[in-house]
Amino acid sequence: MEHEDIIKELGKEKLIGFYTKMVKIRSFEERIRFLFLEGKMPGTIHQYIGMEANAVGVCSALQKDDVIASTHRPHGHAIARGLSFNEIMAELYGRTTGCCRGKGGSMHLGNLEKGMLTAIAIVGGNLPIVVGMSLAFKLMKQNRVAVSFFGDGASNEGSFHESLNMAAVLNTPSVFVCENNQYGASTSIKKVMKIENIADRARSYGIEGVIADGMDVIDVYIHAKDAIEKARKGGGPTLLELKTFRFCGHSRRDPGSYIPKEEKESWQRKDPINNFKKLLLNEGLAGEDELDDINNLIEKELDESIIFAQESPEPAPEDTLKDLYATMEVPE
Amino acid sequence: MEHEDIIKELGKEKLIGFYTKMVKIRSFEERIRFLFLEGKMPGTIHQYIGMEANAVGVCSALQKDDVIASTHRPHGHAIARGLSFNEIMAELYGRTTGCCRGKGGSMHLGNLEKGMLTAIAIVGGNLPIVVGMSLAFKLMKQNRVAVSFFGDGASNEGSFHESLNMAAVLNTPSVFVCENNQYGASTSIKKVMKIENIADRARSYGIEGVIADGMDVIDVYIHAKDAIEKARKGGGPTLLELKTFRFCGHSRRDPGSYIPKEEKESWQRKDPINNFKKLLLNEGLAGEDELDDINNLIEKELDESIIFAQESPEPAPEDTLKDLYATMEVPE
Amino acid sequence: MILSIAEALRKAIYDEMERDDKVFHIGEDIGIEGGFGGAFTVTLGLEKSFRDRIIDTPISEIGIFGAACGAAVMGMRPIVDVQYGDFLFCAMDQVANQIAKLRYMSGGKIKVPVVMRAPVGVTGRGSQHAQNMEPYFLSCPGIKIIAPSTAYDAYGLLKAAVRDDDPVLIFEHKLLYGAKGARKEEGAIDASSEIPDEDYTIPIGKAIVRKEGKDATIISHLLMVHHSLQAAKTLEKEGISCEVIDLRSLWPLDIGLISESVKKTGRLFIVEESPKQGGIGAEVSAQIAETIPDHLISPIVRIAAPNTPAPFSPVMEKFYIPQPERISKEVRKIIEEY
Amino acid sequence: MILSIAEALRKAIYDEMERDDKVFHIGEDIGIEGGFGGAFTVTLGLEKSFRDRIIDTPISEIGIFGAACGAAVMGMRPIVDVQYGDFLFCAMDQVANQIAKLRYMSGGKIKVPVVMRAPVGVTGRGSQHAQNMEPYFLSCPGIKIIAPSTAYDAYGLLKAAVRDDDPVLIFEHKLLYGAKGARKEEGAIDASSEIPDEDYTIPIGKAIVRKEGKDATIISHLLMVHHSLQAAKTLEKEGISCEVIDLRSLWPLDIGLISESVKKTGRLFIVEESPKQGGIGAEVSAQIAETIPDHLISPIVRIAAPNTPAPFSPVMEKFYIPQPERISKEVRKIIEEY
Ligand SMILES: Cc1ncc(C[n+]2csc(CCOP(=O)(O)OP(=O)(O)O)c2C)c(N)n1
Ligand SMILES: Cc1ncc(C[n+]2csc(CCOP(=O)(O)OP(=O)(O)O)c2C)c(N)n1
Ligand SMILES: [Mg+2]
Ligand SMILES: [Mg+2]
């Protein structure tokens, strides 16, 4: 289908929804960056700026009872999957109202009730778990799909290999979304793999490997939808590579000096939000005012979530001893 | 090159050498099978019957200071690499004269002085180590090559993935020899991978994947030689898949009832020794007598090695406490 | 009916799978027609009754444990087989970083009811198929650890594990399975029991006194229970009365029962098949030393393998594994001295 | 010159690489231009001097440790960086089954001189970037374990490790590195030392008395040494004199020095940042209880993290890590009671 037709098919509401979600992520990330710089937030963070189209495109193609699994860089996934600013923000502040009651922090965001597993901060660590979640769906004969988000770097982990192969032979309803943002921490993928497309690795498992433009939410959405619906229909797993880039450092402390200026700039021209905004305006799907209103609403929601988080109760020190076992107290 | 030309080029001596080594392996395996059945030998064994052309073809293409690494099924590799019956047999008997002084046993045969690392019984466990051995050669600017033997089953391990990718990006002089004997323990490869050729997995790493007929020692030799010399010249790693079969159970206790009769029979028609023997006879490279003499000599050598092993001293119980640290006693 | 441990485990798996269709078993070579039923026959034939829920996998330990973890989170009740406990290291991240921590990291909002079956024991195969892996997991909060030494316990503990909402690691001993025919292990010990025809479980976290005594307490698990009982028998003849406790659960530890016994006997011996360094004995010893040191008449003694990997040769292997003679000697020595 | 631990380690690596061209360093993000020099700046800039021997890798822990293992067997002297100690689990098979056992399985015919550098410590990152991994390796024969708490020791111990013919695991504490600028850790403690301009090493297996005392012996390592010293200072003011011992090596343990101290003070406290269950404290406690129980005036006390993973929230984290106040309280309590 041509881009134009697709836009028509998706319709205004959906597209504005994409925009809103992407801006939510971007605004959230910008805001907490300052909170961190000001020393108001504990811990460390890995941000999603520049990659918004990935999470939004994929999660928009999911049904309510599907499940995603995320990484050390989960803010975007959490927001796209529908976790509230409040529960995320409170978790970053380590409060009892956080989605993990303050036990998880930035790297372990999640809320299974909303279709997101507690994020796994071990690179490659969520892929085998996603195989298991989708295996459960298959065994329980539920038409649900499990999606793993992971990075280019993760695709060099043994867990990637074992997971894709196992999903292939068990024919589980899994989608493996590789967000290829060209770097794993400070390391360019060119240094750590001799192939151009990670999607090609799908061949090793006899499954389909697909590439989409991770800077274009519509392209991501379409390809994700195909993969997800294929999985749902019993067609087995897909490896979906999204070509993308992060416009921020790897983590809070990282100025990203290892990225050549030209590379950064060329990707910045593909800013998934700017370009999508232009498209909305050009196609007459929204006016500047309308979009500004969205932005303003989000900023307000953010303000409120910060207040919510800051005013939420700190856990008691002894809460450390809760939540480990379902069936017993922590033994002395 | 055509098979005939190759035979000419290799010449009688080399070909008789192939034959001798293959028979050595077969005879050794047959003999210890009885020793086990009679309860004379401790431990457990995984035998190499039917796969002789692999070890012999590959090891014949190596130079003296190259190194191989093996698996839970190392007898064939050890013999092909030039370890003596005596040191192997004594190790199986757990004697001090064994190549590991009785500490290793069947699954850990090796003698680094003869170019064979202590075998690694963890499936897939030797591949990363081979990357390291070849990395050492590269760093020390030595023209040596390291070869990993592993099975079809091992190619589903995470260690396979990480090793091949790392060898590719570090461009190490490694050769990864996958002995695809169609089964991992009782499990047919058809059940555990959805691809036909393991060699194709090389593409995931941007390296060459090559297939050879593991029942034809000449074919193995030629392809191994190519890969080894390429590695030696700085051309990087190769994944070499050998299509083969074991004519015995997975381990001592296994009657192999999971293998369909027809499959077994069709492979047995490809017996690497029988067929090679026919070739030698047909090509007039050897007479029946000559080959019989070889067999007889081997049997004699085996007799002697059994006596050697049985008459070798048992370790003292306290020898348990030796050989762990190079620089200190075992702390209490 | 009288069953071996392998049979009792098989029956437990069968019964639990029949009771609850959320239970499934996953591993390498566990349900292959004409195959082994796992490395130690435990699952032999189960695939005939539950083809969809006996899942054979590639040789991919990370994948297997991860699959179990994910399935458990989504409400299934997976049982994992790892062929040899030693291979737990291959899946260590999934076990120790994911399975053990997921619930905690989620703030208690999810649960991970995985059962992990790991055969252990030093059995003529060299260092990499020999380890008693228990100590590694004793250091890992979030996992319960059980270790049956009789078929009766094996049945009841495995069932309890399957029904438990937390991850449970069950260590099974190669020499106690009682596998028959070609797959019989050399040096195997009969651990079979009468298994009543009823739905019983054995509570996780409860040790049991295998033999009462008043002069010394011997704590052990798995094969070492049998060695300890044998030692106690010898000592009994010499007039030394030993209480032998089978831990059955390594985490949580039944320190209550151990303490009661030590208060009575005043002497504590901990026997284990793994190296002494950082072993189970260290933890038991430390707990007793910090809670009831005054009840000790003599120093606590840990009887363990030496601080080395397992050697291959039978001569060295025998030296490596604590033998009944060694146990009785150590007890005798202490009793004579104090 | 005065160096932080990060700088001292960097200097040690530099000096050893210059001394011996068999030494190389391998890991993720260790030598990228414009990068971090590893997660904690230790290798920053080294690639400028040794481009061929500072080897950046894919994110492949199995591959990295295996590569080090193989290279060591062939005569090189690899140093591995694992970013966060928690990721050791990803490479656990290579570390515990291969690196630790290869020499033994070969009958002592090969050696595996690998140095493994693993940052540990609970530092605001949640459960999977927080573990003090020491106990897992204390259960693993074949590996030496060191843990420097000062820059002086870091330099000398790392050099000793590189020159050692056996595998050595060095645990470094995130809060002790003394990284500067943007990479400074919250809650960091100054552990910098004057590093003399000479080629010194610190013997592996030797603990050191950091503060002499007569009423109680406090044993610890890494960050907990600093917390213990702080506690000792508080107690000193109250008239309680503590001897603080820095283990420096966890395996082999310098049980001689510990025993000497306990014989003098009669009281033993073991402080560690990992959960109590199956921790370092258990092993130290057991060794003392079985060798010199009669010298103990009071029960041995283990002061450790609770038996849970590390929580994220600062409030809980503070509760989790043994604080100086908790240490002094525990000591005080025992002294008052006995
Ligand atoms: C097993 C493991 N190794 C290393 C790390 C440290 N680490 C955290 S994020 C990261 C880079 C990951 O790169 P990629 O998978 O491409 O994801 P991205 O950060 O680009 O989103 C590294 C090396 C880790 N968390 N887990
Ligand atoms: C990590 C690990 N998992 C499982 C095993 C048990 N095991 C030993 S050999 C084997 C089959 C190996 O198959 P393959 O790699 O094809 O080699 P083959 O036996 O056919 O030579 C298995 C599962 C092991 N030794 N190591
Ligand atoms: Mg990336
Ligand atoms: Mg095979």
Side-chain angles (χ1 to χ4, degrees), chain B residues 51 72-73 150-154 178-185 187 189 244 246 250, chain C residues 59:
Chain B
M51 298 168 66
H72 58 283
R73 197 182 300 288
F150 60 97
D152 43 282
C178 180
E179 299 182 77
N180 179 353
N181 63 7
Q182 319 299 323
Y183 286 82
T187 305
I189 51 166
T244 184
R246 59 169 153 75
H250 167 62
Chain C
I59 311 177

PDB file of all heavy atoms in Angstrom, chain B residues 51 72-73 150-154 178-185 187 189 244 246 250, chain C residues 59, ligand 4:
ATOM      1  N   MET B  51      31.777 -41.426  12.479  1.00  0.00           N
ATOM      2  CA  MET B  51      32.144 -40.019  12.260  1.00  0.00           C
ATOM      3  C   MET B  51      33.641 -39.846  11.995  1.00  0.00           C
ATOM      4  O   MET B  51      34.148 -38.715  11.966  1.00  0.00           O
ATOM      5  CB  MET B  51      31.729 -39.201  13.491  1.00  0.00           C
ATOM      6  CG  MET B  51      30.215 -39.229  13.736  1.00  0.00           C
ATOM      7  SD  MET B  51      29.734 -38.578  15.360  1.00  0.00           S
ATOM      8  CE  MET B  51      30.194 -36.853  15.178  1.00  0.00           C
ATOM      9  N   HIS B  72      32.204 -33.546  24.597  1.00  0.00           N
ATOM     10  CA  HIS B  72      31.915 -34.773  25.330  1.00  0.00           C
ATOM     11  C   HIS B  72      32.213 -36.027  24.494  1.00  0.00           C
ATOM     12  O   HIS B  72      32.190 -37.123  25.032  1.00  0.00           O
ATOM     13  CB  HIS B  72      30.444 -34.777  25.714  1.00  0.00           C
ATOM     14  CG  HIS B  72      29.541 -34.678  24.503  1.00  0.00           C
ATOM     15  ND1 HIS B  72      29.331 -33.491  23.827  1.00  0.00           N
ATOM     16  CD2 HIS B  72      28.836 -35.612  23.828  1.00  0.00           C
ATOM     17  CE1 HIS B  72      28.523 -33.694  22.800  1.00  0.00           C
ATOM     18  NE2 HIS B  72      28.209 -34.966  22.773  1.00  0.00           N
ATOM     19  N   ARG B  73      32.458 -35.867  23.224  1.00  0.00           N
ATOM     20  CA  ARG B  73      32.673 -37.018  22.323  1.00  0.00           C
ATOM     21  C   ARG B  73      34.069 -36.907  21.700  1.00  0.00           C
ATOM     22  O   ARG B  73      34.229 -36.755  20.492  1.00  0.00           O
ATOM     23  CB  ARG B  73      31.601 -36.995  21.225  1.00  0.00           C
ATOM     24  CG  ARG B  73      31.411 -38.295  20.464  1.00  0.00           C
ATOM     25  CD  ARG B  73      30.346 -38.169  19.354  1.00  0.00           C
ATOM     26  NE  ARG B  73      29.034 -37.815  19.839  1.00  0.00           N
ATOM     27  CZ  ARG B  73      28.241 -38.634  20.520  1.00  0.00           C
ATOM     28  NH1 ARG B  73      28.613 -39.884  20.740  1.00  0.00           N
ATOM     29  NH2 ARG B  73      27.070 -38.214  20.955  1.00  0.00           N
ATOM     30  N   PHE B 150      32.304 -29.261  17.244  1.00  0.00           N
ATOM     31  CA  PHE B 150      31.069 -29.258  18.043  1.00  0.00           C
ATOM     32  C   PHE B 150      29.951 -29.870  17.212  1.00  0.00           C
ATOM     33  O   PHE B 150      30.110 -30.096  16.018  1.00  0.00           O
ATOM     34  CB  PHE B 150      30.710 -27.824  18.471  1.00  0.00           C
ATOM     35  CG  PHE B 150      30.478 -26.888  17.318  1.00  0.00           C
ATOM     36  CD1 PHE B 150      29.190 -26.622  16.861  1.00  0.00           C
ATOM     37  CD2 PHE B 150      31.538 -26.266  16.680  1.00  0.00           C
ATOM     38  CE1 PHE B 150      28.966 -25.763  15.792  1.00  0.00           C
ATOM     39  CE2 PHE B 150      31.326 -25.407  15.602  1.00  0.00           C
ATOM     40  CZ  PHE B 150      30.037 -25.160  15.159  1.00  0.00           C
ATOM     41  N   GLY B 151      28.819 -30.110  17.852  1.00  0.00           N
ATOM     42  CA  GLY B 151      27.758 -30.833  17.170  1.00  0.00           C
ATOM     43  C   GLY B 151      26.643 -29.947  16.651  1.00  0.00           C
ATOM     44  O   GLY B 151      26.602 -28.743  16.915  1.00  0.00           O
ATOM     45  N   ASP B 152      25.740 -30.554  15.914  1.00  0.00           N
ATOM     46  CA  ASP B 152      24.535 -29.861  15.461  1.00  0.00           C
ATOM     47  C   ASP B 152      23.780 -29.271  16.652  1.00  0.00           C
ATOM     48  O   ASP B 152      23.312 -28.133  16.612  1.00  0.00           O
ATOM     49  CB  ASP B 152      23.626 -30.828  14.706  1.00  0.00           C
ATOM     50  CG  ASP B 152      23.517 -32.173  15.406  1.00  0.00           C
ATOM     51  OD1 ASP B 152      24.453 -32.983  15.287  1.00  0.00           O
ATOM     52  OD2 ASP B 152      22.513 -32.409  16.107  1.00  0.00           O
ATOM     53  N   GLY B 153      23.693 -30.066  17.713  1.00  0.00           N
ATOM     54  CA  GLY B 153      22.967 -29.603  18.889  1.00  0.00           C
ATOM     55  C   GLY B 153      23.597 -28.345  19.455  1.00  0.00           C
ATOM     56  O   GLY B 153      22.905 -27.406  19.864  1.00  0.00           O
ATOM     57  N   ALA B 154      24.914 -28.314  19.486  1.00  0.00           N
ATOM     58  CA  ALA B 154      25.636 -27.168  20.048  1.00  0.00           C
ATOM     59  C   ALA B 154      25.348 -25.888  19.286  1.00  0.00           C
ATOM     60  O   ALA B 154      25.443 -24.790  19.848  1.00  0.00           O
ATOM     61  CB  ALA B 154      27.132 -27.453  20.067  1.00  0.00           C
ATOM     62  N   CYS B 178      31.305 -27.879  12.592  1.00  0.00           N
ATOM     63  CA  CYS B 178      30.066 -28.429  13.134  1.00  0.00           C
ATOM     64  C   CYS B 178      29.862 -29.830  12.583  1.00  0.00           C
ATOM     65  O   CYS B 178      29.615 -30.014  11.389  1.00  0.00           O
ATOM     66  CB  CYS B 178      28.889 -27.539  12.748  1.00  0.00           C
ATOM     67  SG  CYS B 178      27.325 -28.165  13.380  1.00  0.00           S
ATOM     68  N   GLU B 179      30.005 -30.798  13.448  1.00  0.00           N
ATOM     69  CA  GLU B 179      29.773 -32.176  13.023  1.00  0.00           C
ATOM     70  C   GLU B 179      28.281 -32.446  13.158  1.00  0.00           C
ATOM     71  O   GLU B 179      27.807 -32.820  14.227  1.00  0.00           O
ATOM     72  CB  GLU B 179      30.591 -33.131  13.879  1.00  0.00           C
ATOM     73  CG  GLU B 179      32.078 -32.881  13.760  1.00  0.00           C
ATOM     74  CD  GLU B 179      32.904 -33.870  14.577  1.00  0.00           C
ATOM     75  OE1 GLU B 179      33.070 -35.017  14.143  1.00  0.00           O
ATOM     76  OE2 GLU B 179      33.374 -33.494  15.655  1.00  0.00           O
ATOM     77  N   ASN B 180      27.611 -32.285  12.073  1.00  0.00           N
ATOM     78  CA  ASN B 180      26.160 -32.470  12.086  1.00  0.00           C
ATOM     79  C   ASN B 180      25.835 -33.942  11.889  1.00  0.00           C
ATOM     80  O   ASN B 180      25.723 -34.427  10.763  1.00  0.00           O
ATOM     81  CB  ASN B 180      25.519 -31.617  10.990  1.00  0.00           C
ATOM     82  CG  ASN B 180      24.014 -31.805  10.945  1.00  0.00           C
ATOM     83  OD1 ASN B 180      23.467 -32.656  11.644  1.00  0.00           O
ATOM     84  ND2 ASN B 180      23.354 -31.011  10.128  1.00  0.00           N
ATOM     85  N   ASN B 181      25.702 -34.621  13.015  1.00  0.00           N
ATOM     86  CA  ASN B 181      25.380 -36.049  12.941  1.00  0.00           C
ATOM     87  C   ASN B 181      23.872 -36.286  13.101  1.00  0.00           C
ATOM     88  O   ASN B 181      23.434 -37.366  13.475  1.00  0.00           O
ATOM     89  CB  ASN B 181      26.207 -36.859  13.949  1.00  0.00           C
ATOM     90  CG  ASN B 181      25.879 -36.457  15.384  1.00  0.00           C
ATOM     91  OD1 ASN B 181      24.956 -35.675  15.633  1.00  0.00           O
ATOM     92  ND2 ASN B 181      26.620 -36.991  16.340  1.00  0.00           N
ATOM     93  N   GLN B 182      23.118 -35.262  12.831  1.00  0.00           N
ATOM     94  CA  GLN B 182      21.656 -35.353  12.717  1.00  0.00           C
ATOM     95  C   GLN B 182      20.917 -35.446  14.052  1.00  0.00           C
ATOM     96  O   GLN B 182      19.696 -35.307  14.084  1.00  0.00           O
ATOM     97  CB  GLN B 182      21.225 -36.548  11.834  1.00  0.00           C
ATOM     98  CG  GLN B 182      22.075 -36.744  10.579  1.00  0.00           C
ATOM     99  CD  GLN B 182      22.030 -35.540   9.632  1.00  0.00           C
ATOM    100  OE1 GLN B 182      20.991 -34.916   9.485  1.00  0.00           O
ATOM    101  NE2 GLN B 182      23.165 -35.195   9.027  1.00  0.00           N
ATOM    102  N   TYR B 183      21.651 -35.714  15.123  1.00  0.00           N
ATOM    103  CA  TYR B 183      20.998 -35.853  16.421  1.00  0.00           C
ATOM    104  C   TYR B 183      21.821 -35.157  17.503  1.00  0.00           C
ATOM    105  O   TYR B 183      23.041 -35.185  17.476  1.00  0.00           O
ATOM    106  CB  TYR B 183      20.841 -37.330  16.813  1.00  0.00           C
ATOM    107  CG  TYR B 183      19.740 -38.014  16.025  1.00  0.00           C
ATOM    108  CD1 TYR B 183      19.988 -38.500  14.749  1.00  0.00           C
ATOM    109  CD2 TYR B 183      18.457 -38.121  16.554  1.00  0.00           C
ATOM    110  CE1 TYR B 183      18.974 -39.094  14.006  1.00  0.00           C
ATOM    111  CE2 TYR B 183      17.440 -38.711  15.820  1.00  0.00           C
ATOM    112  CZ  TYR B 183      17.701 -39.192  14.555  1.00  0.00           C
ATOM    113  OH  TYR B 183      16.688 -39.755  13.823  1.00  0.00           O
ATOM    114  N   GLY B 184      21.120 -34.558  18.426  1.00  0.00           N
ATOM    115  CA  GLY B 184      21.721 -34.127  19.680  1.00  0.00           C
ATOM    116  C   GLY B 184      21.114 -35.028  20.735  1.00  0.00           C
ATOM    117  O   GLY B 184      19.913 -34.965  20.979  1.00  0.00           O
ATOM    118  N   ALA B 185      21.921 -35.898  21.315  1.00  0.00           N
ATOM    119  CA  ALA B 185      21.401 -36.958  22.182  1.00  0.00           C
ATOM    120  C   ALA B 185      20.269 -37.679  21.430  1.00  0.00           C
ATOM    121  O   ALA B 185      20.503 -38.173  20.324  1.00  0.00           O
ATOM    122  CB  ALA B 185      20.973 -36.409  23.531  1.00  0.00           C
ATOM    123  N   THR B 187      17.592 -36.308  20.210  1.00  0.00           N
ATOM    124  CA  THR B 187      16.739 -35.350  19.500  1.00  0.00           C
ATOM    125  C   THR B 187      17.197 -35.081  18.077  1.00  0.00           C
ATOM    126  O   THR B 187      18.322 -34.620  17.851  1.00  0.00           O
ATOM    127  CB  THR B 187      16.695 -34.025  20.294  1.00  0.00           C
ATOM    128  OG1 THR B 187      16.270 -34.288  21.627  1.00  0.00           O
ATOM    129  CG2 THR B 187      15.739 -33.046  19.642  1.00  0.00           C
ATOM    130  N   ILE B 189      17.698 -33.213  14.669  1.00  0.00           N
ATOM    131  CA  ILE B 189      17.827 -31.773  14.380  1.00  0.00           C
ATOM    132  C   ILE B 189      16.551 -31.230  13.773  1.00  0.00           C
ATOM    133  O   ILE B 189      16.257 -30.050  13.902  1.00  0.00           O
ATOM    134  CB  ILE B 189      18.999 -31.440  13.420  1.00  0.00           C
ATOM    135  CG1 ILE B 189      18.960 -32.302  12.158  1.00  0.00           C
ATOM    136  CG2 ILE B 189      20.316 -31.573  14.106  1.00  0.00           C
ATOM    137  CD1 ILE B 189      19.881 -31.747  11.078  1.00  0.00           C
ATOM    138  N   THR B 244      27.111 -35.788   8.716  1.00  0.00           N
ATOM    139  CA  THR B 244      27.612 -37.076   9.162  1.00  0.00           C
ATOM    140  C   THR B 244      26.570 -37.793  10.009  1.00  0.00           C
ATOM    141  O   THR B 244      25.411 -37.373  10.088  1.00  0.00           O
ATOM    142  CB  THR B 244      28.951 -36.874   9.921  1.00  0.00           C
ATOM    143  OG1 THR B 244      29.491 -38.128  10.274  1.00  0.00           O
ATOM    144  CG2 THR B 244      28.741 -36.043  11.186  1.00  0.00           C
ATOM    145  N   ARG B 246      26.267 -40.784  13.562  1.00  0.00           N
ATOM    146  CA  ARG B 246      26.964 -41.732  14.442  1.00  0.00           C
ATOM    147  C   ARG B 246      26.291 -43.086  14.333  1.00  0.00           C
ATOM    148  O   ARG B 246      25.057 -43.172  14.336  1.00  0.00           O
ATOM    149  CB  ARG B 246      27.033 -41.222  15.875  1.00  0.00           C
ATOM    150  CG  ARG B 246      25.717 -40.940  16.563  1.00  0.00           C
ATOM    151  CD  ARG B 246      25.894 -40.697  18.059  1.00  0.00           C
ATOM    152  NE  ARG B 246      24.843 -39.850  18.606  1.00  0.00           N
ATOM    153  CZ  ARG B 246      23.582 -40.223  18.843  1.00  0.00           C
ATOM    154  NH1 ARG B 246      23.186 -41.460  18.570  1.00  0.00           N
ATOM    155  NH2 ARG B 246      22.717 -39.366  19.345  1.00  0.00           N
ATOM    156  N   HIS B 250      24.025 -42.436  21.643  1.00  0.00           N
ATOM    157  CA  HIS B 250      24.593 -41.165  22.096  1.00  0.00           C
ATOM    158  C   HIS B 250      25.669 -41.404  23.146  1.00  0.00           C
ATOM    159  O   HIS B 250      26.752 -40.850  23.089  1.00  0.00           O
ATOM    160  CB  HIS B 250      23.489 -40.284  22.676  1.00  0.00           C
ATOM    161  CG  HIS B 250      24.012 -39.108  23.437  1.00  0.00           C
ATOM    162  ND1 HIS B 250      24.781 -38.131  22.843  1.00  0.00           N
ATOM    163  CD2 HIS B 250      23.902 -38.754  24.746  1.00  0.00           C
ATOM    164  CE1 HIS B 250      25.110 -37.228  23.752  1.00  0.00           C
ATOM    165  NE2 HIS B 250      24.593 -37.579  24.919  1.00  0.00           N
TER     166      HIS B 250
ATOM    167  N   ILE C  59      19.032 -27.644  22.477  1.00  0.00           N
ATOM    168  CA  ILE C  59      19.992 -27.544  23.587  1.00  0.00           C
ATOM    169  C   ILE C  59      20.266 -26.062  23.797  1.00  0.00           C
ATOM    170  O   ILE C  59      21.133 -25.482  23.162  1.00  0.00           O
ATOM    171  CB  ILE C  59      21.287 -28.324  23.281  1.00  0.00           C
ATOM    172  CG1 ILE C  59      20.948 -29.731  22.791  1.00  0.00           C
ATOM    173  CG2 ILE C  59      22.181 -28.390  24.535  1.00  0.00           C
ATOM    174  CD1 ILE C  59      22.164 -30.554  22.407  1.00  0.00           C
TER     175      ILE C  59
HETATM  176 MG    MG E   4      24.779 -34.213  17.057  1.00  0.00          MG
END
